[in-house]
Amino acid sequence: REALADVLTDGRSRARGWLQPTAVRALLDEHLSGRRDQSVRLWSLLMLELWSRRFLDQPARASASSKEERASVASLGAAHE
């Protein structure tokens, strides 16, 4: 859960300018509080961000964070099932 919020709200995600931080935070808050299941939306946003880091960011940055990204995907994949 923390990994999801960390990836979707960190500076790299915000710097892209693709997502509205307040909307992402609202989705996270709704989901984590149990008010509404936002798992499909959050999973999609996470995959978009991780894909962007892997294929759009500079190779040095992507490979430096690949270990972190694999850990995030592994932990979130288990929670998503």
Side-chain angles (χ1 to χ4, degrees):
R1 293 178 182 221
E2 291 173 15
L4 173 65
D6 289 346
V7 171
L8 292 179
T9 61
D10 76 359
R12 287 171 69 184
S13 297
R14 286 192 315 268
R16 279 181 219 295
W18 295 349
L19 307 174
Q20 295 178 353
T22 54
V24 171
R25 178 48 57 194
L27 287 173
L28 287 165
D29 290 344
E30 281 184 350
H31 186 74
L32 296 175
S33 71
R35 288 191 313 263
R36 190 166 181 195
D37 180 6
Q38 297 290 4
S39 59
V40 173
R41 287 180 180 92
L42 291 169
W43 183 258
S44 298
L45 294 175
L46 177 66
M47 291 301 104
L48 174 65
E49 178 57 28
L50 294 179
W51 181 89
S52 300
R53 290 179 185 197
R54 175 80 166 114
F55 295 104
L56 300 180
D57 291 355
Q58 294 180 12
R61 291 180 82 182
S63 51
S65 65
S66 62
K67 187 181 231 180
E68 169 190 326
E69 291 164 2
R70 282 193 303 271
S72 295
V73 170
S75 66
L76 294 169
H80 185 61
E81 295 175 348

